[in-house]
Amino acid sequence: MEPLEDLSGIDENPIIPLDSILPPELFLIPIKSRPVFPGIITPLIVPSGKFAKAVEESLKGNSFLGLVLLKDEENEKETSENIYQFGVVAKILKKVNLPDGAVNILINTVRRFKIDSYTNIDPLLGKVSYPEEESGAPKNTIKAMMRTLLVMTRELAQNNPLFTEEMKLTMLNVNEPGKMADFVCSILNLEKEEYQSVIESNILKERIEKVLLFLKKEIELVSIQREISDQIQDKIDKQQRQFFLREQLKAIQNELGIKDDKFEKKYEKFLERLKAIGADPEVIEEVARELDKFSYADPNTGDYNVIRNYLDILESLPWESAPTRDIDLDKAKRTLDRDHYKLEDVKDRILEFLAVKKLKSDEKGTILLLVGPPGVGKTSIAKSIAEAMGRKFFRFSVGGMRDEAEIKGHRRTYIGSMPGKIISALRITKEKDCVILLDEIDKLAVGIQGDPASALLEVLDPEQNKNFRDHYLDLPFDISNVFFIATANTLDSISRILMDRMEVINLSGYITDEKVQIFQRYLWKKVLNKNGVAPYGIDFDKKAIIALIDSYSRESGVRGLEKMTDKLVRKIAMKIVKKEPFPKVIQEKDLENFLGVPKFTDERMIRTLVPGTALGLAWTSVGGATLLIEALFVKGKGGILLTGMIGKTMEESSSIALSYIKNLLSKDDLFTDKMVHLHVPDGATPKDGPSAGITMATAILSLALHTRVKAGFGMTGELTLTGEVLSIGGLREKIVAAKRVGIHKIIYPKDNLQHLEEIPDYVKKGMSFYPVSRFEEVAKILFDEKLLNKQNPSVFSESKSGSIVAKKTAREKKQTKKKASPKKKAVGKKKNK
C-alpha cells in the first residue's frame, strides 16, 4: 500500500509513513449499520460516556482509534462480546465537543486490524495486530479484475441517480486495486455481514471477487427498479394523454351539440326528476356532486364503476311520494276471508288500519308483529294483507342474521358494498308504501359485525324512519309509508325496546273444527293440484279428516297436516301411475294403509287414574301442550328429586309445591322418612315456566292422600307459598291443547277471567272452566271434600269452602235460556185453556 500524507504538517524532518507508527494497543469504538473502509476521511460522532472518554485518552497518546462493527445493535451484552474481531484503525484529525457530552471527531481511516485480546473494558482497550495484504493472484489477473470492477461501477453510476459527481470523480482517481474495491463496497447498499466479510478479506483477489458479486446484484436491482419506474411513467403518460383526448372530445361534442354518453344522460334526467318532485336539498346536492365526478372519471378506473353503481341505485329508488290509493273495505274483507279461516282479531286490525287510512291518507306506516307457533299462517296472512291493501309485497327473513349491514347497508368505502335489505326492497317494488315482511324476527342473532336488532330500531320507529339513512346511500330516505309486518314464534327472545315499536297480535293454534274447515276449504285442493292428482276427482270423508288430524298431525298449526296429506296423496299418485285401484273417497279405514300406524292416540294423559299424577297445561313456542306430572315416594330423609329436563323456574315451583303441601296436611310425619320423586315425562324435551305450580302441588297431594284426582281435568296456574294461584300467559293455546287431547274441564287462575272472555265461544264450546284464586279451591274440585276435611278441618271445612261452580260460556248461557223459554209458553197456554 502506498504511504499516506502526514496531515499534522510538513517540516524539515523526512516523512514517516503512518503504517510504521501504528500502536500495538487501540481504544476500540463500536459503530452501527456499516463500517468505514480504509482510505476515507469522514466525521464521526461519539456518544458521551466511556466511548467519549476513550477518544480523550487516545488524543493524550498517539491519536489512533480502532473502529469495529457491532454484531447486534439491540443486544445488551458486554461490548467485547458483541463486536467483530476485524476492524479499521483511524487517525483523529480534529475534535469538537458537543453540548450533551458527546464529541464530533474528524478521522482518517488507515488500514485493517485484528483484535487479539482485551486489556481493559471501560474504556474498551485491546491488543491488535495488522495483517499484511496478499495478492492471491498474478498481477495481470488483478489488473483485469480491477478493470472489470471499474466498468461495472461506471455502469452502475450511469443508471443510479444517487451517484454524485464527486463519487464518480473519486472513482476515476483511485488506481490501487485494494482501495478501489474498498471504495466501491462503501457506496453499495449491503447487509452488515456482507460489509464485514469485505473488511476481513486480506487476500486482494478474494476481496475483489466479493465486491464484483455484490456489484452485479446491485446492477440487477437497479435495472429492475428502472423497468418498474418506466412502466409507471408510461401508464401515467397514457392516462394523461387519454384524459386530454377525452376533454378535447367533450369540448368538440359541446360545440357541435352532441352528447354521446348514455349514462350521463340518464343521470342528468334523474337530477331533473329530483328537482321536479322537490326532493330534499341534501339529496339534490349530493346527486349533482356525484354526477360532476362521474363526468370527469376515467372509465378504466375503479372509481368510475363505484360512482356509476351509486348513481344507478339512487336512480332506481322511488323518490316520489306514495300514490293515493282507493281503499275498498268490502273488497279487503273478502280477500282476507277468502284466504284465511277465522283469525277475526287479525282481520279486524287490518280493516281498522285501512279505515283510518281512508279517513286520513297521510297516516304513516304501521308495524304489526304476528306471534304464533309454526304453521298457523303468519307469512300467508302478510301476503293477503298486501293484496287486500293493493300494495306490492316483499319478504326477507332476518332469522340468524348477525350483521347489521344486512339491514342498514355497507359503507361505500368497502369493496363490493351494497345497500341494506330495506333499500333493496324499495328498489325491487319501486313503491314507497309497499308491505315488507320481516320474517322470524325472534331469531335475530348478535355477531362481531354488530347487532341487527338495534339496527331495526330506526327502521321500525315511525318518528325516526321518515329520514332513514342507509349506510350505503348516506342520504335521508322516507320509509314512513312502508307497512312493516314482523313474524315470530315467541316474544321471549325479542328485545323489549324493539317490541315496544310494534303492535303484537297473537295467532294461537287451531282446534280440530278449525283444522277441518281449513282442510276442506284450502288444503285439500292445494295438495291435489301440487301432486297432479286433481283431475281424478278424489274426495276426503269428514270423519277421515278428523281422524287424520287427531291421529297423525296433532300440532298447533297445519303444516304437519299438509305434510301428512302430501304423503297420502303421493301414495295415491303411485297407484294411479301403476294403474292399480285406489279409493275415490278416502275413508277413516284407509288412513292406516296409506300412512301407517297412528302417531297419536288417546293416551294416558286423558285419564290420570293413578294416585300421584296430575295433568297440567303448558305453553311452548310451537303452541300449547299437555304436561303429565308424576309423583312417587322413595326412601330418603325428606326433600324432592326432580327428573325430566326441568328448568330452574320449574325447580323452584316444585320446591314451593312440596313446602305448601307439607304445611297444608296435618300429618307432620308423612314426609319425614320419605323423599318425593317428581317426574315430567318426555324427559328429552326441555321444560320451564311457573304455570305448572298447582299441577305439581296436585300430584304431591294426590300421592300423600293416596287418592287419584277426578278424571278429565287439566289445570294451569302459578302457586305461591301461601297457597295463592297467580295468573299465567297463553291461556288460549293451553285450552286448544286440552281440547285437542279430549280434556274438557279446565282449572285456571281467577286473575285470567278477562282473558277467558276474550277467547271466541267456538273455541270454548263444550268445555267447563273453573276459576280459582287459592289452591284449597283446586283441591276441593279434584278430591272428595270429606277426605280433605279429615286431613285439615280448619282449611277444608265445608262451612268455609262454599261451592265451586264451573264458568259457563256465553253460548251455553243462551242455550240454557232457549231451553227454559218453551216451558213458560206451555204454562201460559194451559192457563188460557
Side-chain angles (χ1 to χ4, degrees):
M1 181 180 291
E2 293 184 1
L4 297 174
E5 289 184 327
D6 184 1
L7 299 178
S8 62
I10 303 174
D11 54 17
E12 296 178 356
N13 298 325
I15 298 174
I16 301 173
L18 282 176
D19 290 359
S20 62
I21 60 173
L22 293 176
E25 286 186 340
L26 289 174
F27 287 101
L28 303 176
I29 303 295
I31 57 177
K32 299 179 180 180
S33 302
R34 55 196 302 160
V36 183
F37 285 86
I40 295 175
I41 299 175
T42 182
L44 182 67
I45 296 177
V46 180
S48 60
K50 59 183 180 180
F51 300 120
K53 183 180 177 183
V55 173
E56 298 292 341
E57 293 294 330
S58 177
L59 287 171
K60 293 177 183 178
N62 49 33
S63 300
F64 282 101
L65 287 173
L67 305 180
V68 286
L69 196 61
L70 278 171
K71 293 180 181 178
D72 187 355
E73 297 173 12
E74 298 180 358
N75 200 327
E76 297 181 356
K77 292 181 180 179
E78 288 290 336
T79 309
S80 58
E81 299 176 6
N82 196 27
I83 58 176
Y84 289 101
Q85 295 302 106
F86 281 83
V88 177
V89 63
K91 175 74 174 177
I92 301 175
L93 304 179
K94 188 177 181 181
K95 185 197 79 164
V96 177
N97 293 324
L98 299 178
D100 59 351
V103 292
N104 188 1
I105 57 176
L106 182 67
I107 59 171
N108 177 22
T109 53
V110 181
R111 63 177 294 178
R112 292 165 171 79
F113 70 87
K114 180 183 178 184
I115 302 172
D116 296 326
S117 62
Y118 298 98
T119 57
N120 192 31
I121 299 300
D122 191 8
L124 193 61
L125 183 65
K127 287 187 176 182
V128 299
S129 59
Y130 303 94
E132 293 295 329
E133 186 176 87
E134 300 177 11
S135 174
K139 187 176 180 180
N140 288 337
T141 303
I142 299 297
K143 190 174 181 179
M145 293 177 70
M146 184 178 174
R147 288 183 179 180
T148 305
L149 183 64
L150 185 61
V151 171
M152 293 178 66
T153 308
R154 286 175 178 172
E155 181 183 350
L156 178 64
Q158 290 174 358
N159 293 325
N160 193 343
L162 299 178
F163 269 72
T164 62
E165 291 298 326
E166 184 179 353
M167 287 182 180
K168 296 177 183 178
L169 186 62
T170 304
M171 181 180 64
L172 293 174
N173 293 332
V174 176
N175 295 320
E176 293 184 16
K179 289 184 178 181
M180 182 67 179
D182 287 341
F183 173 75
V184 172
C185 186
S186 67
I187 62 177
L188 295 178
N189 188 16
L190 306 177
E191 296 293 333
K192 183 188 299 184
E193 293 78 7
E194 294 173 336
Y195 283 127
Q196 185 64 26
S197 68
V198 176
I199 290 288
E200 295 177 0
S201 297
N202 288 320
I203 300 175
L204 188 58
K205 178 178 178 293
E206 293 180 359
R207 189 191 310 169
I208 297 175
E209 285 177 346
K210 287 183 180 180
V211 174
L212 285 172
L213 178 62
F214 297 149
L215 188 58
K216 180 65 175 176
K217 290 181 180 179
E218 187 73 15
I219 291 172
E220 291 177 355
L221 184 63
V222 170
S223 176
I224 294 171
Q225 182 181 351
R226 191 79 176 179
E227 289 178 6
I228 295 172
S229 179
D230 292 342
Q231 289 175 1
I232 294 173
Q233 189 62 42
D234 290 343
K235 190 173 182 180
I236 292 174
D237 293 342
K238 183 179 179 182
Q239 288 178 350
Q240 288 179 341
R241 183 168 176 271
Q242 289 177 350
F243 174 77
F244 288 126
L245 289 174
R246 278 196 302 271
E247 291 302 312
Q248 291 175 0
L249 181 61
K250 286 180 182 178
I252 294 170
Q253 289 176 342
N254 289 333
E255 288 293 329
L256 297 176
I258 300 172
K259 281 279 187 180
D260 194 34
D261 193 340
K262 61 179 180 180
F263 294 114
E264 197 169 337
K265 276 185 178 181
K266 182 174 81 169
Y267 302 144
E268 286 177 354
K269 288 182 181 179
F270 170 52
L271 183 59
E272 293 172 2
R273 169 184 150 205
L274 289 177
K275 293 177 180 178
I277 63 176
D280 192 306
E282 182 183 352
V283 177
I284 296 174
E285 183 180 348
E286 181 64 22
V287 171
R289 187 185 299 113
E290 293 293 328
L291 183 56
D292 187 54
K293 287 163 59 179
F294 179 78
S295 62
Y296 289 104
D298 181 3
N300 297 317
T301 61
D303 285 343
Y304 179 86
N305 290 322
V306 170
I307 299 170
R308 179 180 159 187
N309 289 337
Y310 181 67
L311 290 172
D312 277 338
I313 290 173
L314 288 177
E315 192 270 338
S316 63
L317 290 173
W319 294 95
E320 292 80 6
S321 300
T324 303
R325 301 183 187 276
D326 184 23
I327 298 174
D328 188 345
L329 290 180
D330 293 333
K331 179 183 176 183
K333 190 176 188 313
R334 286 194 301 271
T335 303
L336 293 172
D337 290 338
R338 180 198 68 199
D339 295 337
H340 300 279
Y341 181 72
K342 297 296 183 181
L343 303 176
E344 301 302 333
D345 50 352
V346 181
K347 295 176 183 177
D348 290 343
R349 177 63 189 88
I350 303 306
L351 295 175
E352 289 166 6
F353 168 76
L354 293 178
V356 172
K357 193 74 175 175
K358 191 175 181 70
L359 294 176
K360 192 172 185 295
S361 58
D362 60 345
E363 195 269 339
K364 298 302 179 185
T366 303
I367 299 96
L368 296 183
L369 175 58
L370 305 178
V371 182
V376 295
K378 299 184 293 295
T379 304
S380 58
I381 287 171
K383 290 180 182 177
S384 299
I385 290 172
E387 184 180 349
M389 298 173 67
R391 300 188 185 188
K392 290 185 179 179
F393 177 77
F394 185 87
R395 171 199 170 273
F396 70 93
S397 176
V398 296
M401 188 179 288
R402 295 176 179 272
D403 190 354
E404 69 172 27
E406 293 285 336
I407 302 294
K408 298 192 70 174
H410 303 83
R411 301 191 185 278
R412 277 196 291 161
T413 52
Y414 298 109
I415 296 175
S417 57
M418 290 295 290
K421 290 288 187 183
I422 306 299
I423 295 298
S424 297
L426 295 170
R427 285 183 62 203
I428 294 170
T429 60
K430 297 192 180 300
E431 286 186 0
K432 218 169 187 176
D433 61 345
C434 60
V435 176
I436 296 180
L437 175 64
L438 308 174
D439 217 356
E440 309 292 351
I441 199 171
D442 57 323
K443 297 174 182 62
L444 278 172
V446 177
I448 59 175
Q449 294 87 2
D451 182 8
S454 299
L456 280 175
L457 293 177
E458 181 185 356
V459 174
L460 300 181
D461 192 340
E463 299 299 325
Q464 298 182 35
N465 59 16
K466 186 174 182 180
N467 294 308
F468 172 69
R469 280 183 181 269
D470 184 271
H471 287 157
Y472 181 82
L473 299 186
D474 200 21
L475 292 172
F477 193 90
D478 184 7
I479 60 171
S480 59
N481 290 296
V482 176
F483 190 179
F484 288 102
I485 303 174
T487 67
N489 296 130
T490 176
L491 298 176
D492 297 340
S493 57
I494 303 177
S495 164
R496 299 297 101 182
I497 302 173
L498 180 59
M499 197 164 62
D500 182 59
R501 286 161 167 77
M502 299 182 283
E503 182 176 345
V504 179
I505 297 179
N506 287 294
L507 280 76
S508 305
Y510 298 110
I511 61 175
T512 302
D513 293 342
E514 290 176 324
K515 287 187 178 181
V516 170
Q517 293 294 329
I518 293 170
F519 185 90
Q520 291 176 332
R521 296 186 183 193
Y522 314 105
L523 198 57
W524 181 237
K525 296 175 185 176
K526 176 183 175 181
V527 173
L528 289 178
N529 291 324
K530 177 182 175 182
N531 293 281
V533 187
Y536 294 91
I538 303 171
D539 204 355
F540 220 114
D541 183 63
K542 186 173 182 179
K543 289 183 179 180
I545 298 173
I546 296 172
L548 176 65
I549 293 167
D550 290 341
S551 302
Y552 292 92
S553 59
R554 191 179 288 176
E555 81 280 311
S556 299
V558 293
R559 191 169 293 156
L561 178 60
E562 182 177 355
K563 289 179 181 178
M564 296 307 297
T565 310
D566 253 337
K567 181 179 179 180
L568 186 148
V569 173
R570 286 197 302 270
K571 303 282 187 183
I572 295 176
M574 179 67 77
K575 289 183 175 294
I576 293 173
V577 172
K578 289 184 175 181
K579 297 182 179 180
E580 297 177 0
F582 61 90
K584 286 286 186 178
V585 178
I586 298 172
Q587 303 292 337
E588 186 176 352
K589 62 182 180 180
D590 299 321
L591 294 180
E592 193 164 342
N593 295 331
F594 287 114
L595 301 177
V597 179
K599 292 184 177 181
F600 306 98
T601 58
D602 292 334
E603 70 282 271
R604 54 198 167 85
M605 289 188 179
I606 300 175
R607 307 182 191 88
T608 53
L609 300 178
V610 181
T613 56
L615 187 64
L617 303 176
W619 180 91
T620 68
S621 61
V622 294
T626 52
L627 200 67
L628 182 66
I629 294 180
E630 302 171 337
L632 187 69
F633 279 132
V634 294
K635 289 183 180 181
K637 296 181 180 180
I640 189 166
L641 174 65
L642 301 174
T643 53
M645 283 287 282
I646 295 175
K648 187 174 181 180
T649 306
M650 286 188 74
E651 287 181 11
E652 294 175 353
S653 297
S654 64
S655 299
I656 292 170
L658 180 60
S659 299
Y660 176 75
I661 295 301
K662 282 182 178 180
N663 187 57
L664 182 68
L665 298 177
S666 58
K667 295 181 179 179
D668 298 332
D669 59 342
L670 185 61
F671 297 93
T672 55
D673 59 344
K674 298 175 183 176
M675 177 184 287
V676 176
H677 183 175
L678 200 69
H679 176 64
V680 185
D682 293 334
T685 305
K687 313 166 194 73
D688 202 10
S691 62
I694 65 170
T695 313
M696 290 178 168
T698 300
I700 296 172
L701 181 59
S702 172
L703 177 68
L705 299 177
H706 197 64
T707 305
R708 66 178 179 83
V709 300
K710 295 177 182 178
F713 278 93
M715 65 199 79
T716 179
E718 181 179 356
L719 180 66
T720 68
L721 274 174
T722 58
E724 291 186 19
V725 180
L726 303 183
S727 63
I728 45 82
L731 183 61
R732 172 167 174 161
E733 288 85 351
K734 294 175 181 179
I735 292 172
V736 170
K739 197 169 186 178
R740 191 161 55 233
V741 297
I743 294 173
H744 300 287
K745 298 175 184 178
I746 306 297
I747 299 174
Y748 71 100
K750 190 173 286 184
D751 292 342
N752 287 105
L753 193 60
Q754 182 180 356
H755 301 108
L756 183 68
E757 294 291 345
E758 294 174 354
I759 298 174
D761 287 339
Y762 71 87
V763 176
K764 300 181 289 189
K765 182 181 178 182
M767 304 191 75
S768 300
F769 299 91
Y770 297 81
V772 294
S773 57
R774 293 193 58 78
F775 183 76
E776 294 92 323
E777 300 174 39
V778 179
K780 291 171 186 176
I781 296 171
L782 297 174
F783 299 97
D784 183 30
E785 288 195 31
K786 292 180 180 179
L787 178 62
L788 295 173
N789 193 35
K790 289 180 183 179
Q791 301 295 325
N792 195 337
S794 62
V795 176
F796 296 111
S797 173
E798 291 187 15
S799 60
K800 292 184 179 181
S801 65
S803 59
I804 305 297
V805 181
K807 179 174 177 59
K808 293 184 178 181
T809 64
R811 187 184 296 273
E812 288 172 339
K813 289 178 181 177
K814 290 179 182 179
Q815 290 175 352
T816 305
K817 289 179 181 179
K818 288 180 180 179
K819 290 178 181 178
S821 57
K823 291 181 180 179
K824 293 180 180 179
K825 291 180 181 178
V827 172
K829 289 179 182 178
K830 198 171 185 180
K831 285 182 179 179
N832 291 335
K833 286 182 181 179

